[in-house]
Amino acid sequence: MTDLTFLSAPSSGFWRRFQRHKGAVIGGSLLVLVLLAVLIGPFLWPHAAGQINLTARNLGPSLSHPIGTDHLGRDLFAAILQGGRVTLLVGVVAMALSVLIGAAVGILAGMVRWLDAPLMRLTDLFLALPVLPLLLVTIMLWRDSLRALFGAEAGIFLLIVAMIGLTSWMQTARILRAEVLALKKREFVIAATALGLRPWGLIRRHILPNVMGVIIVSATLGLANAIITESALSFLGLGFPPDHPTWGRLLFDGTEYLTLTPARAIWPGLMITLTVLCANYLGDGLRDALDPRSFNGRK
Amino acid sequence: MLTYCLRRLAFSVPVLIFISFAIFLLMDMAPNDPTANLPMSIPAETRAQLREALGIGDPLLTRYLLWCKQFFVHEPLNWLTDLTGLSFGDPDRLRVLSWASRAPVVELIADRLPQTLWIVGLSYILGIAIALPVGIYSAYRQHGWFDHLGSFISMIGYSVPSFFLGVVMIVIFAVKLNWFPSIYDTTLTVTGWESFVAQLRQMVMPVTILALYNAAQISRYMRASMLENLHHDYVRTARAKGASEPRVVMTHVARNSLLPVVTVIALGIPQVLAGAIITEQIFKINGIGELLISSIQSGDLPVVQTLTFLFAVLIVLFNLLADVAYGLLDPRISYD
């Protein structure tokens, strides 16, 4: 059973333990840096993302185009900044949806006894779904109708976010259920119940604050997972349309020009890798910092 | 044990029925007209007849049950017929046909499966062969330089998406160094030494990518499992009675640590097969992943449906195998 008392006393060992995990600190800072660059960058950078300039086609890196241009003379750095916005937005929203569903299912299964078995069977069912083929099929079948309903970008965004969220909540649900079941046996929860706290109040006052750490860890790892899934979909040509390129799409477009301008494929790929690596390291560090058992073991 | 297996098997039947129904429903509800790609010159009447022949007007449940009959009764029977040469029942039974190539879907898949199995199988075996020693040694020397390096590399293998690693490898080894071909030539048949070397060369990159990913995942589990076991009392006992260090680590700790890892290995197989979809796309290998993508792009629903369901069957099957294997390998667990 994990002991998550840090939230009641925020100044306790959590930060110290987190700071000891160097990978997590570096990962976290880099992740913030990427976020800032993507958010602020497009306003500061002189070139617009889609601007075609036929006199500057397939350029190598230079001062005005630090990572070169593509076959239409569009600045790649601007495209990466702009694409990062979409990629990270998809990642964050899909992760939020997945964590929300996972937390709801996990806490419900842990709190309500008669819901436990059906919800866990449902989780097992979802775990048996072939996720990648199913994602591809759904996007193929529903892309056009959603595009007609919500417009080209919003339609595909909603579809991808919904599908990633709906197919990735199972681990969170399982972990949270186990945490809630363990918490329910603790004295303070029993005391709160004995004092007449209603179930909803119990969840809000005692359960949620104590499982927040677990939720944050799964959110971080879920972000990495969502970004990889979205990039894979875009790479397979079933993600965002080429006029709103995400990093995955830029990589996919770049693979056609590997002999001419390999930078077109390398940079978006590097950005995906960097973000995912940072999120994974951050998740690892948070987990170690939140789990006192690993205190003696890890660096 | 037997009752447990039977119970597990019985539980997987409703799971499969549910998944097949979900897949069927998903395809069915989608706004998609199988006659849309036919020439415009076909009169509306004929088009209606075509749609009727495809059974589009029938109630949902009828169509689902018909599909199930084709899939679960006709296809296995056909397969048996091909295998044994004996004929079972009506030889002209309806088959699941591809809309694009008009060939039976099962034959299409059987055509593509060997390439996928070769690549995936080789990479999985290679991945396990790398992961186990790495996991064992890095847990044994926890916090040593090997452990740090191993953790870093496995984190990279875990985080670098295969589509990016594939592209990087193509840029380095195919474009710059020209060591390996970037496109997998599936028409190549191994007839002699030279074609064998060519086959090996084109397999190097896809197999390496998948193997690295597998090794990264499995070595993490192996290391964690070893770390959990290394501090048990029986290890101290083994050392106290004077067993040599390799014997303690290999026969006692590693053997016990392998138990959960075997489950992870079994559970990973369907995922690796699904992951091969991307690798096949990078190197243009015509395996089942490529079949799935090309069918998706041409809207060939029967193929897509069958393949998706096949992946689901694999997942359920390997879940079952993992559970049974765990029970068989670990005498402490009794299911009855």
Side-chain angles (χ1 to χ4, degrees):
Chain A
M1 198 164 63
T2 48
D3 194 55
L4 295 164
T5 44
F6 73 96
L7 276 165
S8 48
S11 60
S12 69
F14 170 70
W15 270 110
R16 215 180 51 240
R17 271 180 304 204
F18 179 72
Q19 279 165 350
R20 205 170 298 170
H21 199 299
K22 286 203 184 61
V25 175
I26 298 172
S29 336
L30 275 177
L31 201 59
V32 172
L33 219 74
V34 169
L35 264 174
L36 283 180
V38 158
L39 281 180
I40 306 169
F43 298 116
L44 302 178
W45 191 242
H47 302 280
Q51 200 177 34
I52 295 171
N53 178 5
L54 291 177
T55 56
R57 283 181 298 170
N58 297 327
L59 289 183
S62 63
L63 263 183
S64 64
H65 303 288
I67 52 178
T69 56
D70 69 1
H71 64 297
L72 293 175
R74 292 176 291 195
D75 181 45
L76 275 181
F77 189 66
I80 283 183
L81 287 178
Q82 190 65 38
R85 284 185 162 188
V86 189
T87 302
L88 287 176
L89 190 66
V90 169
V92 169
V93 178
M95 169 270 278
L97 185 65
S98 143
V99 167
L100 211 68
I101 301 176
V105 171
I107 292 178
L108 265 181
M111 291 297 292
V112 188
R113 185 166 294 168
W114 62 270
L115 273 176
D116 188 13
L119 281 178
M120 281 301 108
R121 289 293 85 75
L122 185 76
T123 313
D124 286 346
L125 261 181
F126 267 84
L127 278 172
L129 289 178
V131 173
L132 189 59
L134 215 58
L135 280 173
L136 295 172
V137 170
T138 326
I139 288 168
M140 178 256 301
L141 292 172
W142 296 90
R143 187 168 41 178
D144 293 332
S145 40
L146 277 174
R147 209 177 264 173
L149 265 178
F150 299 103
E153 203 185 14
I156 195 83
F157 177 82
L158 284 178
L159 185 61
I160 288 183
V161 160
M163 282 313 289
I164 295 179
L166 282 176
T167 50
S168 62
W169 52 269
M170 292 82 75
Q171 294 301 340
T172 315
R174 281 191 156 180
I175 299 170
L176 273 179
R177 170 180 171 269
E179 286 288 326
V180 171
L181 284 180
L183 273 175
K184 267 171 73 183
K185 297 223 176 69
R186 299 276 297 272
E187 283 87 354
F188 68 93
V189 175
I190 298 172
T193 322
L195 285 171
L197 196 61
R198 285 165 189 279
W200 180 237
L202 190 69
I203 292 178
R204 221 185 41 199
R205 295 276 300 279
H206 294 291
I207 303 286
L208 263 185
N210 275 298
V211 294
M212 212 25 119
V214 184
I215 293 182
I216 291 172
V217 171
S218 14
T220 324
L221 300 178
L223 178 70
N225 174 49
I227 289 177
I228 286 211
T229 313
E230 186 276 321
S231 306
L233 290 176
S234 290
F235 181 79
L236 292 172
L238 284 156
F240 278 80
D243 43 344
H244 296 289
T246 58
W247 286 339
R249 180 77 209 194
L250 286 170
L251 174 59
F252 175 63
D253 291 342
T255 50
E256 305 282 317
Y257 301 90
L258 279 186
T259 43
L260 189 62
T261 46
R264 280 189 66 179
I266 302 289
W267 282 101
L270 269 182
M271 288 311 292
I272 299 172
T273 308
L274 181 73
T275 315
V276 170
L277 201 64
C278 289
N280 277 339
Y281 262 119
L282 183 65
D284 260 19
L286 284 174
R287 181 166 44 206
D288 289 356
L290 291 172
D291 183 0
R293 275 188 313 172
S294 63
F295 182 40
N296 45 11
R298 300 278 169 94
K299 50 191 153 177
Chain B
M1 190 65 209
L2 187 69
T3 41
Y4 173 75
C5 292
L6 287 177
R7 212 170 55 225
R8 270 306 260 108
L9 206 63
F11 179 67
S12 50
V13 172
V15 170
L16 281 180
I17 291 179
F18 175 83
I19 292 176
S20 70
F21 191 64
I23 293 172
F24 182 82
L25 213 62
L26 181 74
M27 311 245 171
D28 198 81
M29 287 187 330
N32 186 304
D33 183 3
T35 61
N37 279 340
L38 295 175
M40 298 288 281
S41 56
I42 294 177
E45 261 171 64
T46 323
R47 200 176 282 267
Q49 280 172 352
L50 273 173
R51 292 169 61 86
E52 199 182 327
L54 286 168
I56 286 170
D58 292 342
L60 180 73
L61 208 61
T62 319
R63 269 174 296 146
Y64 173 64
L65 289 177
L66 270 175
W67 178 73
C68 282
K69 190 176 162 199
Q70 281 183 0
F71 194 87
F72 293 110
V73 182
H74 291 178
E75 290 303 337
L77 278 180
N78 280 327
W79 183 67
L80 264 182
T81 310
D82 286 349
L83 204 69
T84 57
L86 303 167
S87 67
F88 298 92
D90 180 15
D92 311 319
R93 46 190 165 245
L94 266 174
R95 306 201 62 173
V96 186
L97 288 181
S98 153
W99 287 346
S101 63
R102 311 305 306 164
V105 174
V106 176
E107 277 171 28
L108 280 180
I109 294 176
D111 223 33
R112 302 295 193 94
L113 205 55
Q115 287 89 306
T116 305
L117 284 185
W118 262 110
I119 300 283
V120 169
L122 260 182
S123 67
Y124 213 52
I125 293 169
L126 200 67
I128 295 170
I130 298 171
L132 297 187
V134 169
I136 291 173
Y137 191 74
S138 39
Y140 183 64
R141 291 253 181 269
Q142 199 192 359
H143 304 310
W145 66 269
F146 188 84
D147 183 27
H148 285 299
L149 187 73
S151 302
F152 181 67
I153 291 178
S154 87
M155 191 54 139
I156 296 225
Y158 198 73
S159 302
V160 181
S162 57
F163 45 89
F164 176 52
L165 197 60
V167 166
V168 172
M169 286 187 87
I170 287 179
V171 169
I172 297 175
F173 295 110
V175 177
K176 293 268 191 278
L177 296 172
N178 211 4
W179 285 358
F180 308 114
S182 73
I183 292 177
Y184 192 94
D185 177 11
T186 33
T187 54
L188 187 81
T189 45
V190 178
T191 48
W193 178 247
E194 220 157 273
S195 56
F196 177 70
V197 171
Q199 175 70 19
L200 272 188
R201 275 183 51 187
Q202 66 179 0
M203 281 176 90
V204 167
M205 287 204 289
V207 169
T208 312
I209 288 170
L210 282 171
L212 187 69
Y213 178 72
N214 298 331
Q217 293 220 315
I218 298 169
S219 72
R220 276 165 79 106
Y221 283 107
M222 189 67 204
R223 177 177 176 274
S225 177
M226 282 288 290
L227 280 180
E228 212 142 274
N229 271 302
L230 267 170
H231 302 291
H232 273 297
D233 287 343
Y234 72 84
V235 182
R236 196 180 308 150
T237 313
R239 285 202 176 111
K241 76 176 186 189
S244 67
E245 219 32 42
R247 195 178 151 76
V248 171
V249 175
M250 295 312 293
T251 25
H252 292 276
V253 186
R255 242 179 104 178
N256 277 308
S257 311
L258 264 177
L259 286 175
V261 178
V262 168
T263 324
V264 170
I265 289 173
L267 289 177
I269 292 174
Q271 281 174 13
V272 180
L273 270 171
I277 294 175
I278 294 170
T279 317
E280 282 175 7
Q281 202 64 15
I282 305 170
F283 296 101
K284 317 239 175 347
I285 306 168
N286 69 340
I288 50 170
E290 205 272 336
L291 180 65
L292 180 70
I293 300 285
S294 60
S295 316
I296 283 177
Q297 269 151 3
S298 61
D300 193 349
L301 283 192
V303 180
V304 176
Q305 214 165 16
T306 312
L307 273 175
T308 315
F309 187 60
L310 209 64
F311 277 113
V313 171
L314 282 177
I315 295 178
V316 173
L317 185 75
F318 280 104
N319 274 333
L320 194 71
L321 276 182
D323 273 6
V324 173
Y326 201 60
L328 285 177
L329 290 175
D330 193 341
R332 286 168 300 186
I333 291 180
S334 81
Y335 288 117
D336 299 319

